[in-house]
Amino acid sequence: MSSLTAQKARSLGRLELLAWLNRFVSADYASIQDLRDGVAFVKIFDVMYPKKQYLSRLVDRAMAPKDFERNFNVLDSILRSIGVKNRAIDAVRLAEGSFRDLHE
């Protein structure tokens, strides 16, 4: 596979993932980096566990890095509460909007 073809495949995969996420959480994120607000990740768990009311703990219209960090800390708390303890969330790094970290 040529380098250009591989790059197109990765780009398409990223766009498909973003389209799925937008449908799943009823959002309109334009890029993976836009996920740095942390809201979409918490919304995924709100869909899966609606009685837990995770959204009430979010800064829904987060605009500042500190708000983004708070949302990722909420996500970390959710993961620990459902038994996912093998990997900590680096709220500061994710809030910075690194494509690689958010995509992972």
Side-chain angles (χ1 to χ4, degrees):
M1 183 181 303
S2 76
S3 164
L4 185 57
T5 305
Q7 186 177 7
K8 280 184 175 180
R10 281 192 302 272
S11 179
L12 181 58
R14 175 182 342 140
L15 295 175
E16 289 174 338
L17 177 63
L18 200 55
W20 172 85
L21 179 67
N22 280 327
R23 283 190 308 273
F24 192 75
V25 300
S26 301
D28 191 26
Y29 289 100
S31 72
I32 297 294
Q33 290 88 341
D34 291 341
L35 299 173
R36 73 184 178 278
D37 67 3
V39 173
F41 298 104
V42 175
K43 283 185 174 184
I44 289 170
F45 286 95
D46 189 66
V47 170
M48 294 182 346
Y49 303 98
K51 293 181 181 176
K52 298 283 186 178
Q53 299 182 357
Y54 293 129
L55 296 182
S56 66
R57 298 167 53 194
L58 279 179
V59 178
D60 191 32
R61 302 216 185 271
M63 298 297 283
K66 288 292 180 194
D67 293 335
F68 303 161
E69 289 173 32
R70 176 185 159 85
N71 288 344
F72 280 110
N73 285 325
V74 169
L75 177 62
D76 188 54
S77 173
I78 291 167
L79 290 171
R80 282 185 279 116
S81 75
I82 62 170
V84 178
K85 300 176 184 175
N86 63 339
R87 188 155 187 205
I89 297 287
D90 186 340
V92 173
R93 190 168 171 151
L94 289 166
E96 289 172 353
S98 160
F99 170 83
R100 182 177 180 178
D101 293 327
L102 290 165
H103 190 260
E104 185 179 305

